[in-house]
Amino acid sequence: MPAHLLPGQSQLSTEDANSSRIVTKSRWIVEARNGHLRSGFKFLAHSLNIQNAKKLNSYYLIAGAILNRYHPIILMQDATVELAREMIDRSNMPNVVQARIEVDNLTRRTGDQALIDFPVLDLEYLSDLTVGTYQVNLASSYIQDKLIRDNDEQFQIDENLEEPGFLRIRVYSRFRNATKHQVFIAYIAHDAENREDHDENVENSRILVGQYY
């Protein structure tokens, strides 16, 4: 089961958050097929009265048999044992960005808005970083939500001028209208004056050191 916030806890620890992400990744196939059941059989998409609830198991067996016979097979591209092991290994890595934020109490500090030297991240890199395209596909809805709530086309980005390669962004919560989260990202600083030269070196110009939110 995904982790839950304890009383007085404002956000999950890195360990609990990563554990919940592993659960979400593992349950994707279950939720996908459940979506097919609810969209293909409207009867199963709504609340049932007590008389029909007694036969719910039979209804699901019949609907499942129809889907197995006529619905295309769900293919999870690149879903391999090696990928699963990599996800587990990543989830167990210590979050050095979180440690830095907690030690220096950076959540309460103000930052300087400046032209940042953030590296170029292509879709292939982002898909590898998030182990899939689900989060990448959500990016457009995050931006649209931000534009609607702030009525502003600019993101507030605070850069730590004393330490190149460290920034903070404030974004709205997907689940609470009045809540904003602070997202911290550590990255390898990009030389804006020699951007083309840096872009030739993918290892140096497109690496995120870590993130915490």
Side-chain angles (χ1 to χ4, degrees), residues 12-155:
L12 296 174
S13 65
T14 297
E15 293 77 12
D16 287 341
N18 286 338
S19 176
S20 296
R21 294 185 183 105
I22 294 294
V23 173
T24 301
K25 290 286 187 181
S26 302
R27 281 190 54 84
W28 178 87
I29 186 67
V30 177
E31 299 301 332
R33 184 55 88 191
N34 185 53
H36 295 157
L37 286 168
R38 295 170 66 88
S39 61
F41 303 91
K42 301 301 182 182
F43 178 77
L44 299 176
H46 305 286
S47 300
L48 303 180
N49 58 45
I50 191 63
Q51 289 79 11
N52 289 322
K54 296 178 181 179
K55 301 179 181 179
L56 183 59
N57 184 61
S58 298
Y59 295 152
Y60 268 104
L61 289 175
I62 295 171
I66 294 174
L67 286 179
N68 289 338
R69 176 62 180 85
Y70 297 104
H71 196 280
I73 297 175
I74 300 177
L75 296 177
M76 300 178 64
Q77 296 182 355
D78 302 323
T80 62
V81 174
E82 290 74 18
L83 180 61
R85 290 172 179 167
E86 182 180 354
M87 290 169 54
I88 294 175
D89 290 340
R90 289 189 187 183
S91 69
N92 293 326
M93 293 177 61
N95 193 328
V96 295
V97 176
Q98 177 186 3
R100 166 71 194 285
I101 293 168
E102 293 175 347
V103 169
D104 294 342
N105 196 24
L106 296 181
T107 57
R108 298 184 180 276
R109 290 191 183 182
T110 58
D112 297 288
Q113 297 189 43
L115 179 62
I116 60 174
D117 48 4
F118 198 77
V120 176
L121 306 176
D122 57 26
L123 290 178
E124 182 179 357
Y125 179 90
L126 292 173
S127 297
D128 177 73
L129 179 68
T130 59
V131 195
T133 60
Y134 177 74
Q135 285 83 359
V136 176
N137 293 335
L138 282 179
S140 58
S141 62
Y142 270 115
I143 294 175
Q144 183 179 21
D145 183 61
K146 188 270 178 193
L147 296 178
I148 294 175
R149 295 200 201 186
D150 280 351
N151 193 26
D152 188 357
E153 296 182 357
Q154 294 183 345
F155 279 91

